[in-house]
Amino acid sequence: GENVEQHPSTLSVQEGDSAVIKCTYSDSASNYFPWYKQELGKRPQLIIDIRSNVGEKKDQRIAVTLNKTAKHFSLHITETQPEDSAVYFCALERYSTLTFGKGTMLLVSP
Amino acid sequence: EAQVTQNPRYLITVTGKKLTVTCSQNMNHEYMSWYRQDPGLGLRQIYYSMNVEVTDKGDVPEGYKVSRKEKRNFPLILESPSPNQTSLYFCASTLGGEGTDTQYFGPGTRLTVL
């Protein structure tokens, strides 16, 4: 199936810093790129998504950028807070099913 | 309330004892999927279904079966569970089609096979 590489696997930041997580993929047919946040013991929750006809989307402190030519997309979190600590997954969609990256554990220290 | 439900939430069983994990959605979604989540491996798709009586293999289908006799239900069947199927399982559904891709996840089922 489609391969999605996600980096880094862990990311530690101080509260107030920015965090960036990047994913690369190989299949140019993908058109939908969601990001999920998973807190310990809970289900993945969609936090932001982007479609291939736009290059950037922002929602308060969270933004996603997409470079279809280079086949990568990134999650940007600004002014991080301790409650942002979680595992974040990128994914891409084909035929209404998702292929996920392996996840990034984000730790935000007060 | 729109939701995806799974049962049981926790299950400890023994090798070889057949089990079924149920999944149900009340949103009239066309597409449903099963994923397993293992540390360091993310979520990997086991099977998916595009409609009633239409199912297809995902990335890790070995040892699993599914059925889609009704639109709302998509059970996951382990005919002869083995310890390497110990994992956290998520069911998900989506309406499908352009602009309706959002996947809704169930709460998860933690399975331990001894």
Side-chain angles (χ1 to χ4, degrees):
Chain A
E2 173 63 67
N3 192 40
V4 183
E5 296 288 333
Q6 182 172 344
H7 296 281
S9 56
T10 60
L11 179 58
S12 294
V13 300
Q14 292 290 122
E15 183 176 0
D17 288 351
S18 294
V20 180
I21 303 169
K22 183 175 177 180
C23 288
T24 59
Y25 62 99
S26 54
D27 184 359
S28 58
S30 299
N31 291 313
Y32 175 65
F33 306 87
W35 284 89
Y36 285 82
K37 175 183 180 182
Q38 187 179 28
E39 297 175 344
L40 191 63
K42 297 192 175 179
R43 74 190 82 185
Q45 298 274 13
L46 178 71
I47 55 171
I48 195 166
D49 55 18
I50 193 167
R51 300 186 189 280
S52 58
N53 56 348
V54 299
E56 183 174 357
K57 183 177 178 180
K58 193 172 181 179
D59 183 4
Q60 297 182 18
R61 296 186 296 108
I62 295 173
V64 56
T65 58
L66 170 66
N67 185 326
K68 277 217 84 178
T69 303
K71 295 181 185 174
H72 64 74
F73 56 113
S74 299
L75 178 70
H76 306 254
I77 306 175
T78 58
E79 301 171 33
T80 53
Q81 302 167 2
E83 51 264 39
D84 294 330
S85 295
V87 179
Y88 292 81
F89 292 97
C90 64
L92 54 86
E93 180 265 346
R94 286 197 71 202
Y95 309 120
S96 293
T97 65
L98 295 177
T99 299
F100 286 87
K102 293 184 178 179
T104 296
M105 179 176 287
L106 174 64
L107 300 171
V108 182
S109 304
Chain B
E1 180 191 353
Q3 60 181 347
V4 179
T5 57
Q6 292 178 230
N7 282 291
R9 296 289 315 280
Y10 304 90
L11 179 60
I12 300 174
T13 189
V14 295
T15 298
K17 186 176 181 181
K18 180 179 178 180
L19 67 91
T20 299
V21 184
T22 64
C23 173
S24 184
Q25 51 90 7
N26 62 1
M27 296 169 278
N28 202 36
H29 283 172
E30 302 280 342
Y31 291 79
M32 298 184 74
S33 298
W34 275 103
Y35 299 89
R36 61 176 289 173
Q37 184 174 20
D38 302 289
L41 297 178
L43 291 105
R44 295 178 292 166
Q45 191 180 61
I46 303 170
Y47 268 95
Y48 65 97
S49 169
M50 291 178 281
N51 212 325
V52 175
E53 302 291 3
V54 181
T55 63
D56 209 347
K57 297 177 181 179
D59 296 321
V60 288
E62 292 76 21
Y64 304 95
K65 285 174 58 177
V66 293
S67 70
R68 187 93 183 273
K69 292 183 170 54
E70 308 163 280
K71 200 171 188 179
R72 62 184 292 124
N73 296 322
F74 190 43
L76 179 69
I77 303 153
L78 285 72
E79 295 269 2
S80 182
S82 62
N84 64 10
Q85 292 178 298
T86 292
S87 188
L88 178 59
Y89 292 85
F90 287 100
C91 179
S93 73
T94 180
L95 185 60
E98 185 70 25
T100 59
D101 316 82
T102 303
Q103 296 246 348
Y104 295 81
F105 283 85
T109 295
R110 187 166 292 281
L111 172 66
T112 302
V113 183
L114 302 174

